[in-house]
């Protein structure tokens, strides 16, 4: 219940049993990760690092044992052991972008054939909901400028562009990071400096410009701050006229899912590419963390895999 005595709207992941806490995260993440194994051909799971995205350490209501137990419990549930270069990314909403940056290093610098970037998170924790409602961040009967809390897990298989066995449908051409001073809880004027920095670094990395982007996919969750930031960043970086530049966000279907937002966004872009309903080939994916971290990824669909 919210402070007005009304039910809080949430987006709960339906599972076959009423698991709670770490057990629910395990049973959400394991099936998503298992789906990636079907695409790895002769490569053994223990040769694949798992880059696991989880809630940031500063998250109110963060589950106990998240850093110490979750990874091993997922391995036990899958009956597999992952590569020793596996790692946790406890950075909330930007975890997926930072994990992609690390995956690129593992694949191209260390010769790892594949990585799995997976995110799992739940905002449906009483202490988490209470804190966000207190800060007027939650969508309630008394606050329209807030997010719907949700929970989700998503996993994507990452390999070199020329890797065989995988029906590649989405290429990550560039990754950039930035730091925003005017965070969502700050009273400083927002200019989207951090996101502009991330855009600039990502486009430089890809050798492209905003002119190559056909649509955007973000972790925006319904709060005005994130949409304002996205609009400012595009205004400051777009130098050509575009008839439209759609902005997609998975939160309108699954709610605010924290550390799972990045992998969810990439999965949506991949599905749009494979099923050929994307509005174009070039995709700008951008993620914004609560603490000011910003990550942008320049993605490209295979030719012919878009409208």
């Amino acid at each position: 219940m919210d402070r007005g005595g009304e039910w809080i709207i949430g987006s709960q992941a339906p599972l076959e049993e009423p698991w709670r806490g770490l057990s629910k995260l395990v049973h959400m993440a394991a099936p998503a990760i298992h789906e990636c194994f079907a695409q790895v051909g002769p490569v053994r799971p223990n040769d694949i690092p798992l880059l696991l995205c989880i809630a940031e350490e500063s998250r109110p209501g963060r589950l106990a044992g998240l850093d110490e137990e979750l990874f091993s419990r997922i391995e036990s549930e899958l009956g597999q052991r992952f590569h020793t270069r596996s790692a946790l990314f406890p950075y909330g909403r930007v975890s997926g972008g930072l994990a992609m940056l690390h995956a690129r290093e593992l694949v191209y610098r260390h010769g790892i054939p594949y990585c799995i970037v997976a995110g799992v998170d739940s905002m449906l924790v009483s202490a988490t909901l209470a804190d966000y409602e207190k800060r007027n961040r939650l969508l309630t009967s008394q606050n329209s400028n807030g997010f719907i809390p949700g929970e989700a897990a998503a996993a994507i298989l990452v390999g070199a562009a020329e890797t065989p066995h995988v029906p590649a449908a989405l290429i990550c051409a560039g990754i950039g990071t930035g730091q925003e001073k005017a965070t969502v809880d700050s009273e400083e004027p927002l200019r989207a400096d951090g996101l502009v920095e991330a855009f600039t670094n990502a486009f430089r990395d890809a050798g492209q410009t905003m002119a190559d982007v056909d649509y955007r996919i973000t972790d925006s969750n319904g709060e005005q701050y994130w949409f304002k930031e996205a609009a400012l960043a595009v205004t400051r970086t777009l130098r050509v006229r575009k008839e439209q530049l759609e902005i997609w966000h998975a939160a309108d279907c699954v709610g605010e899912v924290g550390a799972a937002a990045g992998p969810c966004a990439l999965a949506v872009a991949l599905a749009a590419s494979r099923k050929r309903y994307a509005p174009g080939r070039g995709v700008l994916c951008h993620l914004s963390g609560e603490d000011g971290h910003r990550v942008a990824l320049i993605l490209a669909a295979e030719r012919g895999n878009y409208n």
Side-chain angles (χ1 to χ4, degrees):
M1 305 287 283
D2 64 24
R3 287 179 292 183
E6 301 292 334
W7 288 106
I8 295 173
I9 299 172
S11 182
Q12 187 176 35
L15 299 177
E16 59 270 24
E17 293 187 32
W19 287 293
R20 293 290 183 269
L22 286 182
S23 294
K24 185 159 192 180
L25 297 187
V26 170
H27 285 90
M28 286 195 296
I33 295 168
H34 187 265
E35 286 185 20
C36 294
F37 292 152
Q39 305 292 337
V40 299
V43 180
R44 298 175 302 174
N46 59 4
D47 290 328
I48 302 173
L50 174 61
L51 308 182
L52 186 59
C53 306
I54 56 176
E56 61 273 37
E57 295 179 357
S58 60
R59 167 85 61 81
R62 192 175 192 263
L63 295 175
L66 197 59
D67 300 298
E68 300 83 7
E69 299 179 32
L70 181 61
F71 191 94
S72 61
R73 289 180 63 171
I74 289 174
E75 286 187 318
S76 297
E77 178 66 21
L78 291 168
Q80 302 286 353
R81 291 292 180 266
F82 291 97
H83 195 283
T84 54
R85 287 188 178 271
S86 296
L88 292 176
F89 287 79
Y91 307 110
R93 292 154 57 104
V94 297
S95 297
L98 297 176
M100 285 290 292
L101 190 61
H102 188 63
R104 182 169 69 174
E105 180 178 350
L106 291 178
V107 169
Y108 288 105
R109 292 190 180 181
H110 299 281
I112 301 294
Y114 300 108
C115 297
I116 294 177
V117 174
V120 61
D121 206 347
S122 176
M123 306 294 286
L124 301 179
V125 178
S126 59
T128 303
L129 297 177
D131 181 83
Y132 279 109
E133 184 182 14
K134 181 180 179 181
R135 291 155 56 196
N136 292 317
R137 300 280 308 281
L138 206 62
L139 181 66
T140 67
S141 62
Q142 297 183 323
N143 179 40
S144 60
N145 180 22
F147 63 80
I148 293 176
E151 56 189 7
I156 57 172
L157 184 67
V158 180
E162 63 276 8
T163 301
H165 308 302
V166 177
L170 201 63
I171 305 299
C172 182
I175 306 176
T177 62
Q179 184 68 36
E180 177 59 58
K181 294 181 179 179
T183 62
V184 65
D185 289 316
S186 169
E187 295 184 358
E188 295 186 36
L190 176 63
R191 300 181 64 250
D193 290 335
L195 199 54
V196 169
E197 181 185 4
F199 284 9
T200 301
N201 291 334
F203 283 124
R204 183 185 300 115
D205 190 35
Q208 299 180 19
T209 69
M210 187 67 81
D212 299 298
V213 173
D214 296 297
Y215 71 104
R216 295 167 288 160
I217 184 163
T218 82
D219 59 351
S220 300
N221 62 12
E223 294 179 278
Q224 293 176 10
Y225 173 92
W226 311 110
F227 288 102
K228 180 180 179 180
E229 179 187 46
L232 285 171
V234 169
T235 300
R236 294 180 57 188
T237 53
L238 184 61
R239 296 292 180 266
V240 298
R241 184 175 183 275
K242 285 185 175 287
E243 291 295 331
Q244 62 178 13
L245 188 60
E246 296 180 12
I247 181 168
W248 296 8
H249 36 84
D252 61 357
C253 299
V254 298
E256 167 61 82
V257 293
C264 280
L266 293 172
V268 169
L270 180 61
S273 170
R274 286 182 171 171
K275 297 181 180 180
R276 302 190 179 188
Y277 60 82
R281 183 169 187 247
V283 192
L284 170 60
C285 174
H286 56 86
L287 310 169
S288 298
E290 298 274 326
D291 62 353
H293 278 95
R294 302 292 186 261
V295 182
L297 301 96
I298 310 302
L299 311 171
E302 284 188 320
R303 294 192 181 279
N305 283 8
Y306 51 91
N307 286 334

